Amino acid sequence: MTLIIDTRTEPERALAAACETLAQGLPVAIPTETVYGLAADATNPDAISRIYEMKGRPRFNPLICHVADLDMARHYVDFDPISLKLAQAFWPGPLTLVLPMRPQSDIHPLACAGLDTLGIRIPEGFSRSVIERYGKPLAAPSANTSGKISPTSAEHVAADLGGKLALILDAGPAEIGLESTIIKVDGDEIRLLRPGGLDVADIEKLTGRPVLRPQTAGAAIEAPGMLASHYAPAAAVRLNAADVRPGEVLIRFGGKTLPGEENAAFVLDLSPSSNLREAAANLFAYMKKADAFGAATIAFGPIPNEGLGEAIIDRIERAAAPRDGAEA
Ligand code: TXA
Ligand code: MG
């Protein structure tokens, strides 16, 4: 049921099958030089939510977006001079840069977990050819179930996710076998968000600047999950609302109406047909809609705490968490 194609013996067939599968909104396991990635079209919310679903991710961590060349990267993010220098020196390669997203970017908010920055890199090897051919960026975390180690061979991927996946591209063992190094440049500070396949010393040598290591406390905040306030809408958020108060925006699920709805500023339904994947895809966009309207409060109706619902609730809880102003 899972098709495995060897890219070394059948590159054309592998490219064609990958593009066809991606265009259907399905994830494909692709070989990158770091680890095998679970790749999906970064502009397609349904495809991205399938990544979270397949990995069983407890929450929507931002995903790294993979592009084919610097021109493609420039379409989605703005480069500061230091980041550009790093990109020119180390791409394609095991370096992810966290950069501000451009306004016209059509990367879906589910891929970057609603952040206004994007983790982006150009991978080495066959995965790059796939992106070149497909013509759109691919969001890809490591192709493993959440909590397991990253796969460095097609066999690892098949053992873990086989059966769930339509297609695995096999290019042999990953060259790097360790995830990319993640760097964020803030003004003239170069910050390490995650150590990885690119040696930090090489970055220091190129730039002539020290790379700031994560403080143990700060690291947890900066890398996965990020700060709650990053995800938070401007509006206050009421969870699991039993009714609607006048002037609130109601975001509900499964067509389930709530008392007082007629007094809502407006009502959005994450998925009238109770499809959690559709709900996940709509979540960030709907919170943004409520904010754009200027709502003081968003009331969320009940959402089933199962499958992707767990991740959706986690995101809403973060949005509802008290704002400590740690980072605006
Ligand atoms: O080598 C790699 O980086 C592999 C291959 C497939 O490219 N990918 C990978 O992705 O390791 P993943 O999803 O397992 O790890 C992504 C990390 C997470 O820790 C996430 O928090 C961080 O990148 N990240 C992504 N976008 C970010 C952003 N905008 N700001 C801060 N951190 C970000
Ligand atoms: Mg991973």
Side-chain angles (χ1 to χ4, degrees):
M1 131 162 221
T2 304
L3 180 62
I4 302 179
I5 304 179
D6 193 317
T7 65
R8 295 157 294 182
T9 53
E10 298 187 280
E12 239 337 288
R13 183 170 164 242
L15 280 178
C19 291
E20 192 184 321
T21 309
L22 290 166
Q24 287 167 2
L26 298 175
V28 175
I30 57 167
T32 87
E33 79 283 39
T34 59
V35 298
Y36 275 67
L38 186 60
D41 184 331
T43 67
N44 178 342
D46 197 47
I48 302 159
S49 63
R50 283 179 212 270
I51 292 181
Y52 290 108
E53 202 172 45
M54 270 188 202
K55 282 184 68 83
R57 275 214 170 174
R59 56 172 71 123
F60 300 132
N61 283 332
L63 304 175
I64 294 169
C65 286
H66 300 69
V67 292
D69 52 45
L70 199 54
D71 277 349
M72 196 167 168
R74 282 182 197 277
H75 185 73
Y76 296 101
V77 290
D78 285 320
F79 284 86
D80 60 88
I82 295 175
S83 295
L84 184 61
K85 193 169 179 180
L86 292 173
Q88 284 167 336
F90 299 119
W91 281 355
L95 170 70
T96 294
L97 295 167
V98 173
L99 294 167
M101 196 134 42
R102 302 193 67 185
Q104 70 271 38
S105 158
D106 58 354
I107 302 282
H108 193 272
L110 195 54
C112 53
L115 300 175
D116 52 15
T117 56
L118 188 66
I120 191 167
R121 79 182 189 97
I122 302 177
E124 181 86 80
F126 199 82
S127 53
R128 188 181 177 200
S129 309
V130 173
I131 304 164
E132 250 162 23
R133 175 75 68 92
Y134 189 62
K136 290 198 248 177
L138 299 182
S142 48
N144 54 278
T145 304
S146 196
K148 296 196 182 175
I149 61 162
S150 298
T152 55
S153 71
E155 290 79 18
H156 289 169
V157 180
D160 185 6
L161 298 175
K164 290 186 193 174
L165 260 172
L167 178 64
I168 299 173
L169 301 187
D170 182 359
E175 208 178 305
I176 307 264
L178 190 68
E179 295 92 339
S180 60
T181 300
I182 306 182
I183 291 287
K184 185 178 186 188
V185 176
D186 268 333
D188 56 6
E189 284 186 358
I190 306 174
R191 295 199 289 140
L192 179 68
L193 302 192
R194 179 179 76 181
L198 176 66
D199 191 339
V200 167
D202 291 341
I203 296 172
E204 294 185 323
K205 202 166 142 203
L206 178 84
T207 59
R209 290 166 188 274
V211 171
L212 306 181
R213 266 45 178 205
Q215 312 298 310
T216 10
I221 293 171
E222 194 60 54
M226 305 293 294
L227 287 171
S229 58
H230 272 291
Y231 300 101
V237 171
R238 273 202 316 127
L239 270 160
N240 215 6
D243 56 11
V244 186
R245 298 170 192 163
E248 287 183 334
V249 168
L250 171 65
I251 302 182
R252 59 162 152 77
F253 175 82
K256 197 169 175 293
T257 57
L258 269 73
E261 251 188 48
E262 62 281 4
N263 302 319
F266 60 93
V267 180
L268 299 168
D269 199 311
L270 289 167
S271 172
S273 64
S274 299
N275 179 332
L276 286 166
R277 196 186 300 142
E278 181 187 27
N282 284 331
L283 179 63
F284 290 116
Y286 282 11
M287 286 202 268
K288 282 183 183 201
K289 254 187 211 173
D291 265 351
F293 173 78
T297 306
I298 305 171
F300 276 93
I303 289 159
N305 191 7
E306 62 194 33
L308 276 182
E310 198 184 335
I312 294 169
I313 291 167
D314 170 82
R315 271 285 137 270
I316 298 172
E317 278 172 351
R318 281 161 182 270
R323 317 289 156 78
D324 55 17
E327 198 171 316

